[in-house]
Amino acid sequence: MDNQREMKQGDAEKVKSILWEKEQLFLLDQTRLPGEVLLEEQNSVEQVWDAIKQLKVRGAPAIGVAGAYGLVVAMREQTSLDRTAFVAELRKQAAYLDSSRPTAVNLHWALTRVVESVERSRLQSGGDLFAVLQKTAEEIHAEDIQLCRSIGEHGVSLMREGMGILTHCNAGRLATSDYGTATAPMYLAHGRGMGFRVYSDESRPLLQGSRLTAWELQQAGIDVTTITDNMAAFVMQQGLIDMVIVGTDRVAANGDVANKIGTLGVAIMAKHFDIPVYVACPASTVDLSTATGEQIVIEEREAEEVTHFGLRRTAPEGIKVRNPAFDVTPHELVTGIITDRGIIRPPFSETLKAAFCQ
Ligand SMILES: CSC[C@H]1O[C@H](OP(=O)(O)O)[C@H](O)[C@@H]1O
């Protein structure tokens, strides 16, 4: 029986997507939000893999951090191995965790960083190598918080009193270790007394926008309105939206952006209504090794997510279904990319390299 911890709704604003406490990993089960706030202790690497696959933990930065800690969970019983055996097992477990979801580059980035930190150390015992592994995972976690706060500091320069912001899916603190990416400027601006309105697309089929973004912004006291995905054009046409801010799961070297399915449509509509579209992400989401959006693998998920609304069937038995979890917005539709290193503007094929080439 998993060790579960129910949180009261009132404590919800304090709850994070990932809790690393006394060297134990707890993940907030986001599939139960907004009704239940449940932290689940992760006791095996299979459990972490499943939590990522089932979107119990989700959002590009969050699954990177969860993957890194997943290696800690996987290797904590392997400390008696010698170096060769420890590194071989570590690589195997990293490949296993990497297989859980393909699109967000953060998962592969985090797993690779942990493996390379162990390989670079000249230590020989499994116990010493495990200490390096755990330290790197903890560093990735701590850095994610700081990177998202930096995104907020840069993004807040785009905010102004009374503006309307549309966001899609959840790129909030639940998708990261804290602050979020798209929501980071919102939290900082709100904390500094700025008033603004957020319109949160429900984001079918898994409703991250209505279940998660609306919930976390409401908990923070931010003016948020849930709208259905097919209302985005309506609120833009009504003049209610001054800016779109979304997160992303992978930014290609030319600035093409993979993000939750429906983002492409939002960007096309925003272009029609002359509304700027900003994408927010930490450095760990920028993938200069992927030339364009065409090379980004788009995760195809189970048909049941589309044919059912919760447990209720809402499409005929045996109907053909597509369920890509993401789409790619071409860089031409992106006004700027809000990162921890500043707001990156076109031409992205040059400015991204200048900002992120090591
Ligand atoms: C801060 S990255 C959030 C990003 O991840 C979401 O996808 P999922 O809920 O499937 O993990 C969505 O694309 C968000 O924009």
Side-chain angles (χ1 to χ4, degrees), residues 243-262:
M243 175 166 65
V244 170
I245 306 184
V246 295
T248 172
D249 297 80
R250 193 182 296 240
V251 180
N254 71 340
D256 290 348
V257 166
N259 197 47
K260 184 52 54 197
I261 191 77

Side-chain angles (χ1 to χ4, degrees), residues 30 52 55 57-63 101 104 106 148 168-172 175-176 180-182 206 208 212 246-249 258-261 263 280-282 285 299 301 325-326:
Q30 298 189 31
I52 296 171
L55 279 73
V57 60
R58 45 139 306 277
I63 63 178
R101 295 188 76 192
N106 313 61
C148 289
H168 190 74
C169 195
N170 173 255
T176 67
T181 58
L206 295 180
Q208 288 93 324
L212 306 178
V246 295
T248 172
D249 297 80
N259 197 47
K260 184 52 54 197
I261 191 77
T263 304
C281 70
T285 308
E299 176 186 9
R301 294 185 61 85
F326 304 97

